[in-house]
């Protein structure tokens, strides 16, 4: 039993999970895009992201909160069914907004904000969140890591003088997903991480891998 | 032996360490204060801090880096022998400066910056750091927590949905110190912490307290 656990821990530990760092960004509906940028406006692709069909658009907006403004906030395409504004907690404090830590799409009760584009300012009634940290992975990765969709796991990073173990990391499994730990800029900076660094799983469900 | 360890772990675990969050700030020499604010200028006390003789001054400066500027950066008094600028990594990226993670006073090879006050801009050749996270404590606290000056320990925080275990936390012991975990804004925000929240020690030197 101990031997089996030992082997399991070692093999899991060897999986390096690439770190992706999400800067503040907005997902917009086509209606909001048209209000901000003009009638029948279509987002233009700047950089294709690793997760399926997602891209950084060339378009940016400004976020205007009660205490402050943040310019040059990237729109992530394609257009979505619901507006969603993802900021770090540092950003939320700059703006003067209490953004809750939420999964993508879980926007009930989240605060609104003013978004400014070249054609207009749009007041959103809801939609500002700090993203719940999460790992995207395929079913094959999930099997290899011995986790399942919606598990809450712990992940360890080892940058010199800034080692961190993140608890409350959500597992998201889909055949379309590529293995990637998504952290916001506060989380990445607290751990001294850069894009392309790696994290390792150190606790899955009830099993502690003793890292 | 197990019983003893169990009792020890429990008693250590019960020590709540108050969290203090350091926003970006500058420590200045009297010469730099006079360049920025005027001849024979004396800092005015705004808020007395918990650590001995330290205070937030009423004076603020702007930091100007190659990529950006940050206004309203607090001066922490009293005047010191060496200029030291403490920023978060988020701030360092905004400014366009590669600030190393360093203990207070360890400034060799750190980058410089332009500081702007009401009377002048001053170019510093060195002095910008991200503070190494640390716990201030008295000798009595150190004995109670079974640690000693300059130990590197691990500390756990448990805010809902943002639990974090910080490794690489430096212990600083002095009769003048009040028990306090000092984190920067990136670290506090990554863990969802507010000033007045608490952390607990979860690993001291070679002993893991199994939190």
């Amino acid at each position: 039993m101990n031997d089996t656990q030992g082997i399991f821990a070692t093999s899991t530990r060897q999986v390096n999970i690439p770190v992706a760092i999400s800067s503040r960004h907005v997902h917009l509906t086509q209606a909001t895009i048209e209000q901000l940028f003009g009638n029948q406006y279509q987002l233009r692709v700047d950089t294709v992201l690793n997760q399926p069909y997602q891209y950084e658009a060339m378009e940016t907006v400004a976020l205007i909160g009660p205490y402050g403004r943040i310019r040059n906030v990237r729109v992530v395409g394609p257009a979505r069914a619901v507006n969603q504004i993802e900021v770090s907690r540092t950003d939320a404090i700059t703006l003067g907004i209490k953004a809750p830590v939420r999964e993508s799409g879980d926007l009930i009760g989240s605060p609104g904000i003013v978004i400014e584009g070249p054609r207009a300012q749009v007041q959103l009634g809801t939609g500002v969140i700090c993203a719940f940290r999460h790992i995207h992975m395929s079913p094959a990765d999930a099997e290899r890591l011995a986790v399942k969709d919606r598990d809450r796991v712990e992940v360890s990073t080892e940058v010199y003088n800034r080692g961190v173990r993140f608890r409350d990391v959500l597992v998201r499994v889909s055949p379309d997903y590529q293995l990637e730990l998504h952290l916001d800029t506060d989380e990445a900076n607290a751990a001294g991480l850069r894009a392309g660094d790696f994290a390792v799983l150190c606790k899955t469900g009830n099993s502690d891998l003793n890292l």
Side-chain angles (χ1 to χ4, degrees), chain A residues 152-199:
Chain A
R152 200 177 280 215
V153 299
E154 300 190 11
V155 157
S156 183
T157 67
E158 299 282 357
V159 174
Y160 180 66
N161 283 345
R162 282 218 154 172
V164 168
R165 178 167 171 156
F166 290 106
R167 282 192 293 273
D168 301 317
V169 180
L170 200 67
V171 172
R172 300 311 312 268
V173 181
S174 160
D176 289 335
Y177 285 163
Q178 193 167 320
L179 185 64
E180 219 168 44
L181 170 65
H182 284 208
L183 299 177
D184 72 14
T185 49
D186 287 341
E187 294 164 332
N189 288 335
L193 293 162
R194 296 166 199 272
D197 284 347
F198 293 98

Side-chain angles (χ1 to χ4, degrees), chain A residues 14 24 33 58 78 87 91 98 111 137 161 170 175 178 182 189 199 207:
Chain A
Q14 285 170 343
R24 61 184 81 104
I33 290 167
M58 298 177 76
V87 298
D91 295 334
K98 286 186 195 290
M137 65 179 74
N161 283 345
L170 200 67
Q178 193 167 320
H182 284 208
N189 288 335
S207 94

Side-chain angles (χ1 to χ4, degrees), chain A residues 27 80 84 86 102-107 129 131-132 172:
Chain A
H27 303 279
R80 288 199 178 177
Q84 179 169 302
E86 296 181 42
R102 293 285 183 83
E103 289 177 57
S104 184
D106 177 13
L107 305 179
I129 61 171
F132 203 119
R172 300 311 312 268

Side-chain angles (χ1 to χ4, degrees), chain A residues 8-172:
Chain A
F8 166 68
T10 304
S11 71
T12 306
R13 192 182 301 178
Q14 285 170 343
V15 177
N16 284 328
I17 303 172
V19 174
I21 303 169
S22 296
S23 294
R24 61 184 81 104
H25 63 275
V26 301
H27 303 279
L28 301 175
T29 65
Q30 183 58 30
T32 303
I33 290 167
E34 296 192 11
Q35 284 179 282
L36 293 169
F37 295 98
N39 282 341
Q40 304 200 302
Y41 193 90
Q42 296 294 317
L43 295 177
R44 296 166 296 161
V45 177
D46 180 348
T47 308
V48 173
L49 297 171
N50 280 338
Q51 301 309 323
Y53 318 120
Q54 300 292 298
Y55 58 87
E56 285 193 355
M58 298 177 76
E59 288 74 15
T60 63
V61 296
L63 301 178
I64 305 173
Y67 296 169
R69 161 193 285 260
I70 300 178
R71 295 166 212 271
N72 297 320
V73 178
R74 189 70 70 158
V75 180
V76 169
R80 288 199 178 177
V82 179
N83 294 305
Q84 179 169 302
I85 292 79
E86 296 181 42
V87 298
S88 70
R89 194 164 170 194
T90 295
D91 295 334
I93 292 167
T94 299
L95 294 165
I97 285 178
K98 286 186 195 290
V101 175
R102 293 285 183 83
E103 289 177 57
S104 184
D106 177 13
L107 305 179
I108 294 172
S110 63
I113 196 162
V114 173
I115 303 188
E116 185 180 76
R119 295 291 177 89
Q121 287 190 351
V122 175
Q123 168 74 58
L124 301 183
T126 187
V128 184
I129 61 171
C130 296
F132 203 119
R133 48 193 176 233
H134 58 280
I135 310 175
H136 287 280
M137 65 179 74
S138 67
D141 288 325
E143 193 175 341
R144 193 164 54 130
L145 289 163
V147 298
K148 57 185 195 306
D149 190 45
R150 309 202 61 74
D151 275 0
R152 200 177 280 215
V153 299
E154 300 190 11
V155 157
S156 183
T157 67
E158 299 282 357
V159 174
Y160 180 66
N161 283 345
R162 282 218 154 172
V164 168
R165 178 167 171 156
F166 290 106
R167 282 192 293 273
D168 301 317
V169 180
L170 200 67
V171 172
R172 300 311 312 268

